[in-house]
Amino acid sequence: MSNELTFLVAFATVFGASEAIKHIQSDARRKEHRSRKNNLIVRCLKSCQYSSILEGRRVVLSGDKLYIDTGTHWAGEFGHPFAGYYLAYPDSSASGLVSTICDEPPIMNWIYVDRWSYELKFGNRTWADDNFPIPWDCSRQDRRLTFGGWEGFLAVKEGDFWSLYFDVDEDHLKSKLPEGTPVLEIELIRVEMRITKPKPPPPEDKPEDKEKATENAKESSDAKDRAEGAADANAANGASDGNGADVANGDAAGEAATNGGANGHSGPDKADGSTYPKGAYATPPEEPLESPAVD
């Protein structure tokens, strides 16, 4: 009996440890895929006259809104392709969604739903806080984008463009758009970004190049010392003349500095040491997020 009990206890211990390891590995994979940049691709739920135009198209950022790139202008790109991932929203336990808004430098902005128009937009945290910035997530199997725990994304035709909305009131935006506006239900698929060729590392400095650079720096320093010595000698000779020209020049320079510089222009000490023309530097506005490195 004691042997059977010992076996059951040992089996339960091993099984529990195995399940704990699986849970840790699953959680690590979940966090890894959520932190990787993805593009967004449109999938239409119903077939209609516009579905062939929108099906498989990517989402782009332009102005302050999210659009569907229908590719109608072949000669140039429209907007910046969505390249984003989930990120914990400040002062909240929910996940926000960020995307690059340009490549150089790779600045990130928050994606949010406008509280008045229900449009999908992007901006810094100040703009996001005033609207609906959370919670963003994805479906378990296909990892489709969700907001508020469900999928209510709509494509709306605005002139020659298709913009993205979220059906907050579940009425196909009847209270927000003019009657007759084309509105299509869509899904937003997160897809892995295209892998590009990595940039080559910078060339390493050869030993002989380092020695040559050191010699050039030494020669430059010696030339500077010789020039300063010659200038000191000339100054000494001028002072020995006794005509007082240098003293007069020094007094004039000091008076100009006291009166705000030559011709009345202010010097570098204006506005408490700032050279900013309108006074001291103001506190800069909140900057967007910087894109972290992605493996």
Side-chain angles (χ1 to χ4, degrees), residues 8 30 32 41 58 65 110 113 145 183 238-239 254 268 278 294:
L8 290 175
R30 177 178 178 272
E32 193 273 338
I41 302 298
R58 65 181 180 180
K65 296 173 55 176
W110 295 100
V113 177
L145 192 66
V183 179
K278 296 182 180 180
V294 179

Side-chain angles (χ1 to χ4, degrees), residues 1-12:
M1 182 68 179
S2 59
N3 291 336
E4 294 179 355
L5 182 61
T6 302
F7 173 78
L8 290 175
V9 171
F11 177 79

Side-chain angles (χ1 to χ4, degrees), residues 230-245:
D232 292 340
N234 292 335
N237 292 334
S240 63
D241 291 341
N243 53 15

Side-chain angles (χ1 to χ4, degrees), residues 142-163:
D142 296 334
R143 296 178 178 175
R144 300 187 307 272
L145 192 66
T146 65
F147 181 75
W150 63 292
E151 298 175 78
F153 299 105
L154 301 172
V156 177
K157 192 174 189 301
E158 299 177 342
D160 295 332
F161 302 97
W162 288 85
S163 58

